[in-house]
Amino acid sequence: METNEQIKEMVKQKYSEIALQDKETNTSSCCGAGGCSTEVYNIMSEEYDELKGYNPDADLGLGCGLPTNFAKIKKGDIVVDLGSGAGNDCFVARAETGDTGKVIGIDFTEAMIDKARMNAEKLGFNNVEFRQGDIEKIPMTSNVADVVVSNCVMNLVPDKQKAFGEVYRILKPNGHFSISDIVLVGELPEKIITAAEMYAGCVASAIQKSDYLEIIKNSGFKNIVLQKEKPIIVPDDILKNYLNEDEIQQYKNSDTRIFSITVYGEKGEECCSPDSGCC
């Protein structure tokens, strides 16, 4: 994984593979679902069953939080979901926006877009749209979204500063985001950092919690709030694919911790980007 483009291609291939499977196939071999596996991408998912608008066909068990549950979505809002996958968070958001709102899902994996569109067609929703695109260059005009959500995706983007700059750009003045993601406190073992599967699984790609929040602040957002935080435990049967027994014990005894966070931020009243000199 030497370049950003190589990283993106690796992630795209992995999530294309996931898109072609059903949830049962994805989770039956996952430690988070009670089994054992080398997979890490779905050990941190949360249950959506109780949320209005939830559709099982769109839930591939890939998230690390419930951002739509914290997003303060109102009737008539325009909501954008970054890394929308099979459409899970989009359909939950649509239950909040109602018929008068609109939900736009952005994903750069063609197979995920196809699956999401199929799900939307089955549900008969004409105000849920899916677009293929890169989060570092979102295919939308500026100042259009009331709310942006994202679930365990931003950490996969190589240039996170650019990605949050794009969130700022597409939000309307006084718009806001609620994003769930994976962050670190402490340093991961080098063998985990260099493992492609651990990157695609959102662990090796995670950055320090303090750096993540600083990126959000530097993008111009105000009133930044940590809405939820929970520790993520990587099971031994996954760790043993990268570390020997001594290294696993050393890692467990270290101060390094992996967290799922849900963070909120507001654009404020600015009508231009904070680095343009006009704000």
Side-chain angles (χ1 to χ4, degrees), residues 16-59:
S16 293
E17 175 188 325
I18 294 168
L20 298 176
Q21 300 172 347
D22 56 24
K23 185 183 180 184
E24 288 71 25
T25 303
N26 284 332
T27 58
S28 63
S29 62
C30 154
C31 288
C36 288
S37 168
T38 58
E39 301 291 5
V40 69
Y41 56 80
N42 49 13
I43 64 172
M44 51 197 78
S45 60
E46 293 198 20
E47 295 298 326
Y48 272 76
D49 303 35
E50 301 301 318
L51 295 185
K52 186 180 178 183
Y54 171 73
N55 182 269
D57 290 340
D59 182 8

Side-chain angles (χ1 to χ4, degrees), residues 14 27 34 37 75 95 105 110 181 186 221 223 233 260 266 273 275:
K14 181 61 181 178
T27 58
S37 168
K75 295 292 183 184
E110 184 177 358
D181 219 340
F221 290 104
N223 299 326
I233 307 300
S260 164
E266 298 174 352
S273 63
D275 58 356

Side-chain angles (χ1 to χ4, degrees), residues 1 17 19 28 54 63 71 96 114 147 158 165 172 212 239 249 252 276:
M1 296 187 295
E17 175 188 325
S28 63
Y54 171 73
E96 299 295 327
D114 290 344
V147 182
K172 295 177 181 177
Y212 192 97
L239 290 175
Q249 199 56 48
K252 287 183 170 182
S276 67

Side-chain angles (χ1 to χ4, degrees), residues 17 59 61 64 70 83-84 118 131 138 146 167 175 187 194 204 215 218 233 235 238 251 256 263 265 267 279:
E17 175 188 325
D59 182 8
C64 60
F70 293 90
S84 49
M118 189 185 315
R131 302 180 188 179
I138 299 173
D146 296 291
V167 174
E187 300 297 330
T194 56
I215 286 172
N218 290 341
I233 307 300
I238 290 180
Y251 166 67
T256 298
V263 60
K267 182 172 181 176
C279 297

Side-chain angles (χ1 to χ4, degrees), residues 188-193 198 236 238-252:
L188 290 171
E190 186 66 23
K191 290 180 182 178
I192 289 180
I193 294 174
M198 293 296 275
D236 284 6
I238 290 180
L239 290 175
K240 72 181 181 183
N241 289 282
Y242 311 99
L243 307 174
N244 61 38
E245 292 296 330
D246 289 341
E247 289 168 335
I248 290 175
Q249 199 56 48
Q250 185 177 3
Y251 166 67
K252 287 183 170 182

